[in-house]
Amino acid sequence: MKLYISLLGFGKVGRQFVKLVRAKEQDILNWHGIEPKFASVSSSRGYVANPDGLDIDVLAGMAIREQNLAEHPDFVPYGAKDKMDGILPEVAGKDCIKVLVAAASSDFETGEPTLSIMKSAISRGWNIASMEKSPLVVAFDELTEMARKFGVELRYSGATAAGLPTIDIAKISLAGSKVMAIEGILNATTNYVLTLMSEDGISYEEALSMARAHGYAEPDPTRDVMGIDTACKILLIANAAMGCRKKLSDVKITGITHITPRDVASWAIEQRTLKMIGRAWREDDDVKIEVSPMAVPYYDMFAKVNGSGKAVRFVTDLFGELVVTVQEGGPVAAAGSGFKDVINIFRSFQGRI
């Protein structure tokens, strides 16, 4: 069956996604019967589109060379034609599945422009596989209700810690159980910084500088080091796994900028190491969510998650504690999560999951 993809974003993650689809094209046809086609690829400036499918070799070549989408020979700048019709073209044939893969950055407070595109896509019968968290944080309830109303899938594994499987575990592996609490090391930047401070005894400023030099911190890491990125991720996981409908304003957030080498050393004396942890737990009839650096005992599995690694712990009524860790991160893992969501959307419509 043909599966048409509208890829929103041709940056690091978007290009990795294109390369991944090209590399796995024959495998997913053999394993799942999926014939992937890119109906469109769009950026902040314009798009390329073909209802019958773009030449994937051309797109993959551009991705490998890290070219700007505007260099594509069929690039159409916004304004020349209707923007939504370009991003979400009418694809050929009824026997197909359509997926908008969101890999473009959005405004943190409004979720735009991705939020409006996602809404339009859902209303036009496109399923969503989002690697961008902002629209989901801003309008989780609205998007969930729209997806239900229009009979499409809304998946967002890549928005909640890239390669770390969080949403799938909560919805599939823990089906039938009640999640009592969730804890997670969900941000690579803060974990890398705190690991350096613990292992090398250096200051926060020195550790952050090294994280930037090795590609683990953005030029402006404010959302990471202040705990906002972790808060967004634990919020989405909690809403999905615990059935709550919390907002970012409900999350108590403390960053790591105040941590000193003396703090790290004092906890080490007590056989503990500092980790930036997002937590959600049931309290009476409510769910509480908090993000802060916590002193973790050396014997805890979280203490062994170092560098850019991530981890999540679910505490349930049926299965006790389940801990999952992952070391791979960055654009490759994020693209892999989006790729997984696309396959699982197809499998869902085939009645396989």
Side-chain angles (χ1 to χ4, degrees):
M1 178 181 285
K2 292 180 180 178
L3 187 148
Y4 288 94
I5 298 167
S6 171
L7 175 61
L8 184 61
F10 199 63
K12 290 182 180 180
V13 176
R15 288 194 290 264
Q16 285 290 348
F17 182 83
V18 169
K19 290 190 287 185
L20 184 56
V21 172
R22 180 63 186 90
K24 297 282 189 178
E25 186 178 19
Q26 193 60 48
D27 287 342
I28 60 176
L29 178 61
N30 293 339
W31 298 341
H32 303 287
I34 300 173
E35 184 182 353
K37 291 183 176 293
F38 283 93
S40 72
V41 179
S42 54
S43 67
S44 60
R45 296 169 55 192
Y47 62 88
V48 292
N50 186 333
D52 296 318
L54 294 162
D55 189 326
I56 194 170
D57 289 326
V58 172
L59 291 173
M62 292 181 66
I64 291 169
R65 293 187 295 272
E66 298 186 355
Q67 289 179 270
N68 191 293
L69 187 63
E71 297 178 60
H72 193 285
D74 298 323
F75 182 79
V76 179
Y78 293 133
K81 295 181 180 179
D82 182 86
K83 179 177 179 178
M84 290 302 178
D85 287 343
I87 295 174
L88 304 166
E90 285 293 330
V91 297
K94 294 183 179 180
D95 188 23
C96 66
I97 293 175
K98 304 180 295 183
V99 183
L100 173 73
V101 177
S105 298
S106 304
D107 182 82
F108 175 69
E109 295 183 351
T110 66
E112 297 295 352
T114 303
L115 178 56
S116 292
I117 296 171
M118 288 172 69
K119 289 180 183 178
S120 182
I122 292 172
S123 68
R124 297 180 185 210
W126 288 75
N127 302 280
I128 306 293
S130 182
M131 294 173 273
E132 168 57 27
K133 65 183 75 65
S134 296
L136 294 159
V137 171
V138 171
F140 184 83
D141 285 352
E142 183 180 7
L143 290 171
T144 301
E145 177 57 27
M146 282 191 69
R148 185 200 63 78
K149 176 182 176 181
F150 287 95
V152 300
E153 292 274 323
L154 172 63
R155 296 191 178 237
Y156 44 95
S157 293
T160 56
L164 183 69
T166 55
I167 303 299
D168 290 343
I169 288 176
K171 289 191 171 183
I172 299 174
S173 300
L174 300 179
S177 68
K178 185 175 184 179
V179 176
M180 308 304 296
I182 308 167
E183 294 180 342
I185 299 172
L186 305 172
N187 181 270
T189 299
T190 51
N191 201 43
Y192 192 86
V193 168
L194 291 175
T195 297
L196 288 177
M197 293 181 70
S198 296
E199 294 181 350
D200 299 341
I202 60 178
S203 69
Y204 162 78
E205 291 78 13
E206 291 172 309
L208 181 59
S209 178
M210 291 180 66
R212 282 199 185 100
H214 290 90
Y216 291 112
E218 298 289 342
D220 180 5
T222 301
R223 293 184 189 176
D224 297 312
V225 299
M226 296 303 293
I228 298 171
D229 180 75
T230 297
C232 291
K233 291 171 179 174
I234 190 64
L235 173 68
L236 292 176
I237 298 168
N239 280 342
M242 304 177 80
C244 56
R245 288 296 179 265
K246 296 295 182 177
K247 305 292 185 182
L248 189 59
S249 57
D250 297 318
V251 184
K252 182 179 179 181
I253 308 172
T254 304
I256 66 167
T257 57
H258 65 286
I259 302 296
T260 67
R262 178 175 292 182
D263 296 327
V264 174
S266 65
W267 285 117
I269 293 173
E270 298 186 19
Q271 301 292 293
R272 292 172 178 264
T273 186
L274 285 174
K275 296 292 180 184
M276 183 64 148
I277 294 179
R279 299 190 301 141
W281 68 97
R282 296 187 186 276
E283 186 173 298
D284 298 326
D285 294 326
D286 197 10
V287 172
K288 304 290 186 180
I289 307 177
E290 181 178 1
V291 173
S292 65
M294 298 180 63
V296 178
Y298 284 169
Y299 61 78
D300 191 291
M301 288 186 67
F302 274 21
K304 300 173 177 62
V305 180
N306 294 316
S308 61
K310 299 175 184 177
V312 65
R313 174 187 284 118
F314 291 95
V315 181
T316 73
D317 61 343
L318 296 183
F319 306 114
E321 290 191 8
L322 174 67
V323 179
V324 181
T325 68
V326 67
Q327 192 61 41
E328 184 62 51
V332 174
S337 293
F339 183 69
K340 173 187 66 176
D341 279 348
V342 169
I343 291 174
N344 283 334
I345 286 171
F346 175 85
R347 295 175 67 204
S348 177
F349 280 98
Q350 295 296 302
R352 299 179 194 173
I353 58 173

